[in-house]
Amino acid sequence: MRVFTFLLLCFCFANKLCGFELQSGDILFQDGSNNGFNSAIRSVTTSIENYHFTHCGIYFVDSIGNSFVIEAISNGVVLTAINDFVNRYLTSDNKPKIVVGRLADSLQSIIPSVMQNALSYLGRNYDNSFDLTNDEIYCSELIYFSYIDNSGINVFSTNPMTFIDINTNETHIYWQKHFNLLGIPVPEGKEGINPGGISKSPKIDILFYYY
C-alpha cells in the first residue's frame, strides 16, 4: 500500500492531477510526526485555522524542470525531491500533510531573487539554537532570510519566541532539556520566527490544502 501511495503521488504531481499546480517560491507548510521535537513545537506555537505546522520549505523547479523543496532539516539546508517531501508525513487516508502558501500578487516580482537567496544557503548547518544572528539556519529562518522585498526588507516579521507550553503555562520540558544539552539558556522572548507564524502572515495567500 505504501509503495502504491508513493507511485500515485508521483503520478499526481508529475501530471498535475491533484487540483493544484505548484510554483517556484511557494511555501509548503508541513505537519510532522508525533515525535518529541514536533510535539514540542505544536505545544508552543499556533498556525492558521486548526493546523499545527512544525516545518516549512520552499518549492523550487530547476532549469531542466526537476522539482525540489529547499529546506532546513537536521542534516542542514538541502534540496529534497518533491515526491520525497510529500511522502514524508501522510494522514491515515494517505494524504500529504501539507498546506501551500504563496506570496501575494504584489510581491511576486521578488520570486527570482528569493530563489537565489534560498539556494545560497544550501549546505549550511541546522540551527538548533534558533538564533537569527549566527551562521546556522532553521526551517522558518530560511524563509525569513530568503524572502526579501525590492526595498531590502524582510517580507516576514519576527516575534518574541516563547517556549512556554500553551496547556501548562510553564516552559515545556522538552525545550528545557533541549537547550540544557546545548549549554545555553532557553531563549524565551528573543526574536525568532516559526512555521505557524509565517502561515498567518498577511503577505501570503493560503491556496491549497493537501489534507
Side-chain angles (χ1 to χ4, degrees):
M1 174 61 77
R2 181 77 178 187
V3 173
F4 172 77
T5 299
F6 176 79
L7 292 174
L8 176 63
L9 288 174
C10 288
F11 182 79
C12 174
F13 273 87
N15 293 277
K16 303 168 187 174
L17 296 178
C18 287
F20 183 77
E21 183 176 353
L22 292 166
Q23 295 180 9
S24 281
D26 285 349
I27 300 173
L28 306 185
F29 298 98
Q30 192 171 58
D31 182 2
S33 62
N34 290 319
N35 63 19
F37 181 78
N38 289 325
S39 295
I41 292 174
R42 293 189 191 94
S43 295
V44 300
T45 65
T46 59
S47 304
I48 57 163
E49 302 171 17
N50 293 317
Y51 287 90
H52 301 281
F53 302 128
T54 60
H55 183 58
C56 53
I58 305 168
Y59 183 69
F60 166 64
V61 180
D62 69 14
S63 60
I64 58 174
N66 295 315
S67 298
F68 299 93
V69 177
I70 309 170
E71 58 176 340
I73 55 176
S74 59
N75 293 334
V77 182
V78 297
L79 279 178
T80 300
I82 184 61
N83 289 314
D84 291 337
F85 187 88
V86 300
N87 279 281
R88 182 181 292 158
Y89 302 115
L90 301 175
T91 64
S92 59
D93 55 350
N94 294 317
K95 294 179 180 178
K97 299 176 72 175
I98 295 170
V99 170
V100 182
R102 181 173 294 167
L103 278 186
D105 289 345
S106 60
L107 289 167
Q108 281 296 307
S109 64
I110 71 170
I111 291 300
S113 63
V114 165
M115 304 316 301
Q116 290 181 357
N117 292 339
L119 290 168
S120 74
Y121 290 107
L122 287 174
R124 290 283 188 98
N125 292 330
Y126 185 78
D127 187 2
N128 285 293
S129 60
F130 308 118
D131 184 348
L132 296 177
T133 66
N134 63 19
D135 291 331
E136 299 173 330
I137 298 288
Y138 61 94
C139 70
S140 42
E141 185 179 15
L142 176 65
I143 306 293
Y144 178 69
F145 284 119
S146 297
Y147 290 74
I148 308 294
D149 69 19
N150 291 322
S151 300
I153 298 173
N154 300 86
V155 169
F156 300 107
S157 300
T158 62
N159 289 288
M161 293 187 292
T162 184
F163 297 88
I164 295 176
D165 191 322
I166 58 180
N167 297 309
T168 66
N169 205 34
E170 297 179 354
T171 301
H172 195 287
I173 187 63
Y174 178 94
W175 296 121
Q176 293 180 34
K177 294 178 178 179
H178 176 85
F179 290 106
N180 185 55
L181 286 172
L182 294 177
I184 60 176
V186 176
E188 184 71 28
K190 288 191 175 182
E191 288 297 303
I193 193 165
N194 62 72
I198 295 172
S199 75
K200 296 187 289 184
S201 171
K203 301 295 181 65
I204 64 170
D205 298 312
I206 301 298
L207 295 183
F208 195 76
Y209 302 79
Y210 283 100
Y211 75 115

